[in-house]
């Protein structure tokens, strides 16, 4: 393999980690603006308290938040730590993708998948919302990544997307008919379609397995912390599906 197809994994991981800091800054912005119905591309970043435009030197990922001690430079209002947290997570996922991938294109694709899943999960964890503007591109990028490997792979990914949507939509429909209340959000079937578009139809059970384990770990943690768990408690299932999709993309279906 030449240096282009197989770059040094440490250098690749460092590059994707650095890029992840920049991407993470944008993801943090989108995670705030999109649920509020605000534009996510046009317009300068502003303090959410005083509306003062943020100076360029205060837009450096992580470091600006630390230098300002988590406060607006103009009004002194607290800046949510969610911004540096998302930036660091995006950087960490970029490093993870770089270290795990066998070649450059797979590493870049993995980082793109991770950053999309991070944004979807961050919004769902905070607001129990998912947006088609994020879910549809997840499906399309998965199909595109498959098409770059061949039309047979793309067809298999398309089948995965269709089965993923149909499966969770059917589960949600049956749950609502039997229990008389909604059990899954409208975005969950579309997110599972995105999972199928990235990992294929045969890997969907493994995505669900990892998602279930992630959800059970949260329930177990709440019980250990004595916070209690009730049957009608809401859990952001999109977060767990995102975790499952990422792990299956990296390591393949369970038992294979």
């Amino acid at each position: 393999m030449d240096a282009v197809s197989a770059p040094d994994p440490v250098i690749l991981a460092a590059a994707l980690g650095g890029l992840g800091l920049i991407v993470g800054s944008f993801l943090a912005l989108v995670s705030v603006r999109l649920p509020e119905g605000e534009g996510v591309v046009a317009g300068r970043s502003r303090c959410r308290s005083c509306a003062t435009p943020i100076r360029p030197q205060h837009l450096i990922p992580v470091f600006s938040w630390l230098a300002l001690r988590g406060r607006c430079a103009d009004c002194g209002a607290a800046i949510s730590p969610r911004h540096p947290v998302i930036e660091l997570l995006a950087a960490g996922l970029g490093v993870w993708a770089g270290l795990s991938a066998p070649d450059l294109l797979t590493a870049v694709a993995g980082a793109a998948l991770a950053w999309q899943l991070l944004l979807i999960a961050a919004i769902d964890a905070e607001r129990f919302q998912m947006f088609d503007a994020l879910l549809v591109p997840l499906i399309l990028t998965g199909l595109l990544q498959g098409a770059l490997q061949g039309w047979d792979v793309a067809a298999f990914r398309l089948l995965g997307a269709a089965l993923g949507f149909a499966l969770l939509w059917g589960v949600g429909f049956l749950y609502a008919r039997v229990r008389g209340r909604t059990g899954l959000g409208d975005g969950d079937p579309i997110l599972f379609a995105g999972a199928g578009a990235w990992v294929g139809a045969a890997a969907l059970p493994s995505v669900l397995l990892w998602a279930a384990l992630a959800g059970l770990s949260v329930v177990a943690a709440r019980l250990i912390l004595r916070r209690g768990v009730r049957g009608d408690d809401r859990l952001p299932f999109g977060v767990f599906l995102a975790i499952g999709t990422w792990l299956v993309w990296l390591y393949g279906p369970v038992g294979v």
Side-chain angles (χ1 to χ4, degrees):
M1 247 182 225
D2 57 38
V4 174
S5 61
D8 184 279
V10 175
I11 295 176
L12 180 58
L16 289 176
L19 179 60
L21 286 174
I22 299 171
V23 172
S25 181
F26 176 70
L27 298 183
L29 176 68
V30 174
S31 71
V32 172
R33 289 187 176 184
L34 184 61
E36 298 295 334
E38 301 176 7
V40 298
V41 178
R44 291 182 57 185
S45 296
R46 298 175 180 272
C47 171
R48 305 297 291 185
S49 296
C50 66
T52 301
I54 299 176
R55 303 179 184 90
Q57 66 268 29
H58 295 156
L59 292 172
I60 303 173
V62 180
F63 299 104
S64 291
W65 188 88
L66 292 173
L68 293 171
R69 298 182 180 181
R71 298 280 177 179
C72 173
D74 293 284
C75 69
I79 303 173
S80 172
R82 71 196 308 279
H83 293 275
V85 167
I86 291 177
E87 291 163 357
L88 288 172
L89 285 173
L93 289 169
V95 170
W96 195 351
L99 292 176
S100 302
D103 56 68
L104 176 61
L105 291 179
T106 304
V108 172
L113 169 62
W115 294 331
Q116 289 181 87
L117 292 173
L118 174 59
L119 178 56
I120 292 167
I123 296 176
D124 191 41
E126 187 174 20
R127 296 176 176 264
F128 293 95
Q129 287 181 290
M130 285 187 274
F131 295 88
D132 290 347
L134 303 178
L135 297 173
V136 173
L138 179 69
I139 297 173
L140 295 178
T141 52
L143 296 177
L144 175 60
Q145 198 273 337
L148 292 176
Q149 301 177 65
W151 291 112
D152 55 335
V153 177
F156 188 64
R157 299 281 189 86
L158 182 60
L159 176 62
L163 287 177
F165 178 84
L167 177 62
L168 275 202
W169 185 89
V171 169
F173 177 79
L174 290 175
Y175 184 93
R177 290 295 297 269
V178 173
R179 298 295 301 273
R181 58 187 174 89
T182 301
L184 289 174
D186 293 337
D188 291 320
I190 308 176
L191 176 54
F192 202 39
W198 275 91
V199 302
L204 289 174
S206 295
V207 174
L208 281 181
L209 176 60
W210 281 118
L213 291 174
L216 288 173
S217 68
V218 171
V219 172
R222 293 183 65 170
L223 291 174
I224 292 172
L225 296 173
R226 298 182 178 181
R227 295 184 58 183
V229 177
R230 301 188 312 173
D232 59 351
D233 282 347
R234 297 179 67 192
L235 291 175
F237 191 53
V239 175
F240 309 138
L241 284 177
I243 292 172
T245 303
W246 174 240
L247 292 176
V248 172
W249 164 262
L250 285 179
Y251 305 115
V254 176
V256 176

